[in-house]
Amino acid sequence: MVRWFSASPPRTLLLGFVFIILLGAQLLKLPVSVTDGKPMPYIDALFTAASATCVTGLVVEDTGSYFTTFGHAVILLLVQVGGIGFMTMATLFALILRRRISLKERLILQESLNQGSIEGLVRLVRKVITFALAIEAIGAALYAIRFAFDMSIGRAIYHGVFHSISIFNNAGFDLSGDFSSFSAYSSDLYMNVVSMLLIILGGFGFIVLSDLFDLRLDLKRRLSLHTKVVLIVSGTLIVVGALIIFLFEFTNSQSIGPSVLGEKALASVFQSVTTRSGGVTTVDISNFRQATQFFIIILMFIGSSPGSTGGGIKTTTFAVLVGAVLAMIRGKDDVVLFRLRLAQERVYKAVTVTLFCIGIVMLGTMILCTTEDAAFLKILFEATSAFGTVGLSMGLTGELTTPGKLTIIVLMFIGRLGPLTLTYALAPKLERARYRHAEGKIIIG
């Protein structure tokens, strides 16, 4: 068994996440974690721990009122470790203790950070930790300033730190109470802007943040292709998403319909941003029109960017798929982005990831349709939100049966770990084929 898990970095990564979730569940199950002093049911503790570690935000109990300060601290620690990555945190402690990072540890880091090589990994880890702590500290201060108008200074700082870490890591946990998320701040421009910036920065990925930081230091330096694609696709999806939500919900009296024009626009932009893996919301999504809800499912499925705290198939995968379709329509052999040709292996991987993700969401949805008594769109929304580690819900989470909770836990785990990493971890070691079959032809389309 030990040899099985030590055989490859993906398997070590899988084991690490499982261990953290189980440890978190045990801590949340303790009476000291719950306000009423009664032990939390193990399945609910496991669900909450998985949701926090997988930075999802789906909850069966209201975080603000159900858990004590100790419980909040456990959730926050799980979110931080899950968002940045447990190997990144372990490397940080190793660096503090001045311990040498072994080759195996570098390979696991490479898998954890979704990098193509082990070159410069330790330097990247330092940047990841620095960026994360700096952004979370600034976010906590900005939140605390606003919360200070509604509560005591000490409580405002407490809420500021919790929400900054949760939202930057795209976890979606909040202390608002009564499952209300940020609905009380739906028209508050300050809170909306701070929250959106944290979600966007967390969703860009540390590779992009590092690239942008290096550009600030050297203006002659060019952005990498990865960074360009992430910025363009992310910006496009946010704008297009906001426009569609605004148009679909403009006259909906149950959502943004009664609001003035400016508040409608603000709510639409916020929902477009948070559906990409944020998890917090200022409007009750269950009151949206079905067309809007289905469009949000598409945004959740695309998700954030590689190496980020979010899930989904990732913006770069979506960009490669669109590029492949356009190349096929134009009769081109190569997929070209920003005048650079992509290797066929990248295109194959994008198609593979997308088909894997579609299959996983479909399977999860079918299981939930069997175990839960709810409308199909509601179930599909929940399954996609769990797999995309988004954390948005149309109200199904609190009604889930035990088999339904276990299904959501698995979806969150696969979404955070990544379908390909999970496949590499479970599959036997593959050897490169020493021959190629003769070419055959089939009719497509």
mmCIF file of all heavy atoms in Angstrom, residues 301 353-367 383 387 407 410-411 414-415 418-420 422-423:
data_model
loop_
_atom_site.group_PDB
_atom_site.id
_atom_site.type_symbol
_atom_site.label_atom_id
_atom_site.label_comp_id
_atom_site.label_asym_id
_atom_site.label_seq_id
_atom_site.Cartn_x
_atom_site.Cartn_y
_atom_site.Cartn_z
ATOM 1 N N PHE A 301 -18.926 25.513 -15.608
ATOM 2 C CA PHE A 301 -18.216 24.388 -16.218
ATOM 3 C C PHE A 301 -16.876 24.851 -16.805
ATOM 4 O O PHE A 301 -15.875 24.141 -16.704
ATOM 5 C CB PHE A 301 -19.074 23.759 -17.316
ATOM 6 C CG PHE A 301 -18.465 22.533 -17.933
ATOM 7 C CD1 PHE A 301 -18.455 21.338 -17.242
ATOM 8 C CD2 PHE A 301 -17.908 22.577 -19.199
ATOM 9 C CE1 PHE A 301 -17.875 20.191 -17.804
ATOM 10 C CE2 PHE A 301 -17.334 21.450 -19.771
ATOM 11 C CZ PHE A 301 -17.327 20.249 -19.068
ATOM 12 N N VAL A 353 -9.598 16.487 -21.607
ATOM 13 C CA VAL A 353 -10.057 17.078 -20.347
ATOM 14 C C VAL A 353 -11.543 17.418 -20.429
ATOM 15 O O VAL A 353 -12.321 17.116 -19.513
ATOM 16 C CB VAL A 353 -9.239 18.347 -20.012
ATOM 17 C CG1 VAL A 353 -9.909 19.143 -18.900
ATOM 18 C CG2 VAL A 353 -7.824 17.968 -19.602
ATOM 19 N N THR A 354 -11.954 18.037 -21.528
ATOM 20 C CA THR A 354 -13.353 18.446 -21.685
ATOM 21 C C THR A 354 -14.287 17.248 -21.690
ATOM 22 O O THR A 354 -15.327 17.254 -21.010
ATOM 23 C CB THR A 354 -13.529 19.253 -22.981
ATOM 24 O OG1 THR A 354 -12.642 20.362 -22.973
ATOM 25 C CG2 THR A 354 -14.959 19.768 -23.095
ATOM 26 N N LEU A 355 -13.945 16.214 -22.449
ATOM 27 C CA LEU A 355 -14.789 15.020 -22.501
ATOM 28 C C LEU A 355 -14.835 14.314 -21.145
ATOM 29 O O LEU A 355 -15.901 13.833 -20.726
ATOM 30 C CB LEU A 355 -14.286 14.065 -23.586
ATOM 31 C CG LEU A 355 -14.469 14.538 -25.035
ATOM 32 C CD1 LEU A 355 -13.877 13.532 -26.011
ATOM 33 C CD2 LEU A 355 -15.950 14.751 -25.346
ATOM 34 N N PHE A 356 -13.701 14.252 -20.460
ATOM 35 C CA PHE A 356 -13.666 13.676 -19.111
ATOM 36 C C PHE A 356 -14.619 14.430 -18.190
ATOM 37 O O PHE A 356 -15.409 13.827 -17.459
ATOM 38 C CB PHE A 356 -12.242 13.760 -18.557
ATOM 39 C CG PHE A 356 -11.456 12.496 -18.705
ATOM 40 C CD1 PHE A 356 -11.371 11.866 -19.933
ATOM 41 C CD2 PHE A 356 -10.785 11.936 -17.637
ATOM 42 C CE1 PHE A 356 -10.634 10.705 -20.099
ATOM 43 C CE2 PHE A 356 -10.052 10.769 -17.780
ATOM 44 C CZ PHE A 356 -9.969 10.150 -19.021
ATOM 45 N N CYS A 357 -14.523 15.751 -18.228
ATOM 46 C CA CYS A 357 -15.331 16.584 -17.337
ATOM 47 C C CYS A 357 -16.821 16.463 -17.657
ATOM 48 O O CYS A 357 -17.652 16.398 -16.748
ATOM 49 C CB CYS A 357 -14.885 18.042 -17.434
ATOM 50 S SG CYS A 357 -13.215 18.326 -16.805
ATOM 51 N N ILE A 358 -17.159 16.446 -18.936
ATOM 52 C CA ILE A 358 -18.557 16.269 -19.331
ATOM 53 C C ILE A 358 -19.071 14.922 -18.814
ATOM 54 O O ILE A 358 -20.175 14.826 -18.255
ATOM 55 C CB ILE A 358 -18.714 16.352 -20.864
ATOM 56 C CG1 ILE A 358 -18.466 17.780 -21.344
ATOM 57 C CG2 ILE A 358 -20.117 15.899 -21.291
ATOM 58 C CD1 ILE A 358 -18.457 17.927 -22.851
ATOM 59 N N GLY A 359 -18.260 13.886 -18.998
ATOM 60 C CA GLY A 359 -18.658 12.558 -18.540
ATOM 61 C C GLY A 359 -18.852 12.497 -17.038
ATOM 62 O O GLY A 359 -19.820 11.893 -16.548
ATOM 63 N N ILE A 360 -17.947 13.128 -16.273
ATOM 64 C CA ILE A 360 -18.042 13.118 -14.815
ATOM 65 C C ILE A 360 -19.286 13.856 -14.346
ATOM 66 O O ILE A 360 -20.017 13.388 -13.465
ATOM 67 C CB ILE A 360 -16.768 13.733 -14.197
ATOM 68 C CG1 ILE A 360 -15.577 12.811 -14.448
ATOM 69 C CG2 ILE A 360 -16.948 13.973 -12.702
ATOM 70 C CD1 ILE A 360 -14.240 13.452 -14.173
ATOM 71 N N VAL A 361 -19.555 15.039 -14.927
ATOM 72 C CA VAL A 361 -20.741 15.807 -14.551
ATOM 73 C C VAL A 361 -22.021 15.053 -14.920
ATOM 74 O O VAL A 361 -22.985 15.021 -14.150
ATOM 75 C CB VAL A 361 -20.724 17.203 -15.220
ATOM 76 C CG1 VAL A 361 -22.049 17.917 -14.989
ATOM 77 C CG2 VAL A 361 -19.575 18.046 -14.670
ATOM 78 N N MET A 362 -22.026 14.420 -16.095
ATOM 79 C CA MET A 362 -23.197 13.644 -16.513
ATOM 80 C C MET A 362 -23.441 12.473 -15.569
ATOM 81 O O MET A 362 -24.583 12.223 -15.155
ATOM 82 C CB MET A 362 -22.999 13.134 -17.945
ATOM 83 C CG MET A 362 -23.112 14.199 -19.016
ATOM 84 S SD MET A 362 -22.730 13.559 -20.676
ATOM 85 C CE MET A 362 -24.007 12.319 -20.864
ATOM 86 N N LEU A 363 -22.374 11.752 -15.212
ATOM 87 C CA LEU A 363 -22.514 10.614 -14.301
ATOM 88 C C LEU A 363 -23.000 11.076 -12.933
ATOM 89 O O LEU A 363 -23.913 10.464 -12.346
ATOM 90 C CB LEU A 363 -21.171 9.896 -14.166
ATOM 91 C CG LEU A 363 -21.143 8.676 -13.228
ATOM 92 C CD1 LEU A 363 -22.127 7.613 -13.705
ATOM 93 C CD2 LEU A 363 -19.724 8.105 -13.123
ATOM 94 N N GLY A 364 -22.398 12.157 -12.413
ATOM 95 C CA GLY A 364 -22.833 12.694 -11.128
ATOM 96 C C GLY A 364 -24.281 13.137 -11.154
ATOM 97 O O GLY A 364 -25.033 12.906 -10.194
ATOM 98 N N THR A 365 -24.689 13.766 -12.251
ATOM 99 C CA THR A 365 -26.078 14.216 -12.387
ATOM 100 C C THR A 365 -27.035 13.039 -12.417
ATOM 101 O O THR A 365 -28.098 13.074 -11.783
ATOM 102 C CB THR A 365 -26.234 15.054 -13.676
ATOM 103 O OG1 THR A 365 -25.344 16.171 -13.628
ATOM 104 C CG2 THR A 365 -27.658 15.571 -13.812
ATOM 105 N N MET A 366 -26.679 11.986 -13.144
ATOM 106 C CA MET A 366 -27.543 10.799 -13.211
ATOM 107 C C MET A 366 -27.704 10.148 -11.838
ATOM 108 O O MET A 366 -28.806 9.731 -11.461
ATOM 109 C CB MET A 366 -26.978 9.798 -14.214
ATOM 110 C CG MET A 366 -27.191 10.188 -15.659
ATOM 111 S SD MET A 366 -26.802 8.856 -16.825
ATOM 112 C CE MET A 366 -25.021 8.795 -16.682
ATOM 113 N N ILE A 367 -26.604 10.070 -11.080
ATOM 114 C CA ILE A 367 -26.689 9.491 -9.733
ATOM 115 C C ILE A 367 -27.582 10.344 -8.841
ATOM 116 O O ILE A 367 -28.434 9.823 -8.105
ATOM 117 C CB ILE A 367 -25.275 9.359 -9.129
ATOM 118 C CG1 ILE A 367 -24.453 8.346 -9.927
ATOM 119 C CG2 ILE A 367 -25.357 8.935 -7.654
ATOM 120 C CD1 ILE A 367 -23.006 8.259 -9.509
ATOM 121 N N ALA A 383 -24.564 19.637 -9.409
ATOM 122 C CA ALA A 383 -23.456 18.770 -9.830
ATOM 123 C C ALA A 383 -22.350 19.577 -10.493
ATOM 124 O O ALA A 383 -21.160 19.369 -10.218
ATOM 125 C CB ALA A 383 -23.976 17.696 -10.782
ATOM 126 N N PHE A 387 -18.511 20.091 -9.128
ATOM 127 C CA PHE A 387 -17.355 19.714 -9.940
ATOM 128 C C PHE A 387 -16.481 20.918 -10.280
ATOM 129 O O PHE A 387 -15.263 20.832 -10.295
ATOM 130 C CB PHE A 387 -17.811 19.035 -11.230
ATOM 131 C CG PHE A 387 -16.680 18.705 -12.150
ATOM 132 C CD1 PHE A 387 -15.849 17.631 -11.883
ATOM 133 C CD2 PHE A 387 -16.411 19.493 -13.257
ATOM 134 C CE1 PHE A 387 -14.776 17.342 -12.709
ATOM 135 C CE2 PHE A 387 -15.343 19.203 -14.096
ATOM 136 C CZ PHE A 387 -14.524 18.121 -13.815
ATOM 137 N N THR A 407 -22.028 11.729 -3.226
ATOM 138 C CA THR A 407 -21.819 12.013 -4.651
ATOM 139 C C THR A 407 -21.224 13.400 -4.854
ATOM 140 O O THR A 407 -20.274 13.577 -5.631
ATOM 141 C CB THR A 407 -23.158 11.915 -5.423
ATOM 142 O OG1 THR A 407 -23.716 10.612 -5.227
ATOM 143 C CG2 THR A 407 -22.946 12.164 -6.906
ATOM 144 N N VAL A 410 -17.535 13.459 -3.850
ATOM 145 C CA VAL A 410 -16.681 12.891 -4.906
ATOM 146 C C VAL A 410 -16.501 13.889 -6.045
ATOM 147 O O VAL A 410 -15.392 14.067 -6.570
ATOM 148 C CB VAL A 410 -17.270 11.565 -5.432
ATOM 149 C CG1 VAL A 410 -16.491 11.078 -6.647
ATOM 150 C CG2 VAL A 410 -17.256 10.508 -4.337
ATOM 151 N N LEU A 411 -17.580 14.567 -6.438
ATOM 152 C CA LEU A 411 -17.505 15.559 -7.518
ATOM 153 C C LEU A 411 -16.582 16.712 -7.134
ATOM 154 O O LEU A 411 -15.771 17.172 -7.954
ATOM 155 C CB LEU A 411 -18.904 16.087 -7.855
ATOM 156 C CG LEU A 411 -19.830 15.150 -8.626
ATOM 157 C CD1 LEU A 411 -21.230 15.742 -8.729
ATOM 158 C CD2 LEU A 411 -19.284 14.872 -10.017
ATOM 159 N N ILE A 414 -12.892 15.376 -7.224
ATOM 160 C CA ILE A 414 -12.374 15.230 -8.590
ATOM 161 C C ILE A 414 -12.152 16.601 -9.215
ATOM 162 O O ILE A 414 -11.152 16.828 -9.903
ATOM 163 C CB ILE A 414 -13.350 14.402 -9.454
ATOM 164 C CG1 ILE A 414 -13.450 12.970 -8.932
ATOM 165 C CG2 ILE A 414 -12.902 14.380 -10.914
ATOM 166 C CD1 ILE A 414 -14.492 12.125 -9.635
ATOM 167 N N GLY A 415 -13.080 17.535 -8.973
ATOM 168 C CA GLY A 415 -12.952 18.874 -9.539
ATOM 169 C C GLY A 415 -11.730 19.604 -9.033
ATOM 170 O O GLY A 415 -11.070 20.326 -9.790
ATOM 171 N N GLY A 418 -8.516 17.428 -10.209
ATOM 172 C CA GLY A 418 -8.372 17.421 -11.665
ATOM 173 C C GLY A 418 -8.579 16.019 -12.199
ATOM 174 O O GLY A 418 -7.992 15.071 -11.667
ATOM 175 N N PRO A 419 -9.410 15.857 -13.225
ATOM 176 C CA PRO A 419 -9.700 14.514 -13.747
ATOM 177 C C PRO A 419 -8.478 13.781 -14.270
ATOM 178 O O PRO A 419 -8.342 12.572 -14.083
ATOM 179 C CB PRO A 419 -10.722 14.784 -14.865
ATOM 180 C CG PRO A 419 -10.545 16.219 -15.225
ATOM 181 C CD PRO A 419 -10.124 16.906 -13.964
ATOM 182 N N LEU A 420 -7.547 14.508 -14.925
ATOM 183 C CA LEU A 420 -6.363 13.845 -15.464
ATOM 184 C C LEU A 420 -5.413 13.408 -14.353
ATOM 185 O O LEU A 420 -4.834 12.318 -14.413
ATOM 186 C CB LEU A 420 -5.637 14.764 -16.443
ATOM 187 C CG LEU A 420 -6.322 14.989 -17.791
ATOM 188 C CD1 LEU A 420 -5.436 15.814 -18.707
ATOM 189 C CD2 LEU A 420 -6.674 13.669 -18.462
ATOM 190 N N LEU A 422 -6.281 12.600 -11.353
ATOM 191 C CA LEU A 422 -6.912 11.439 -10.736
ATOM 192 C C LEU A 422 -6.698 10.192 -11.584
ATOM 193 O O LEU A 422 -6.406 9.107 -11.063
ATOM 194 C CB LEU A 422 -8.409 11.696 -10.549
ATOM 195 C CG LEU A 422 -9.183 10.630 -9.773
ATOM 196 C CD1 LEU A 422 -8.724 10.580 -8.334
ATOM 197 C CD2 LEU A 422 -10.682 10.897 -9.847
ATOM 198 N N THR A 423 -6.805 10.348 -12.903
ATOM 199 C CA THR A 423 -6.603 9.215 -13.808
ATOM 200 C C THR A 423 -5.176 8.706 -13.732
ATOM 201 O O THR A 423 -4.929 7.501 -13.648
ATOM 202 C CB THR A 423 -6.926 9.621 -15.262
ATOM 203 O OG1 THR A 423 -8.267 10.100 -15.330
ATOM 204 C CG2 THR A 423 -6.771 8.437 -16.196
#
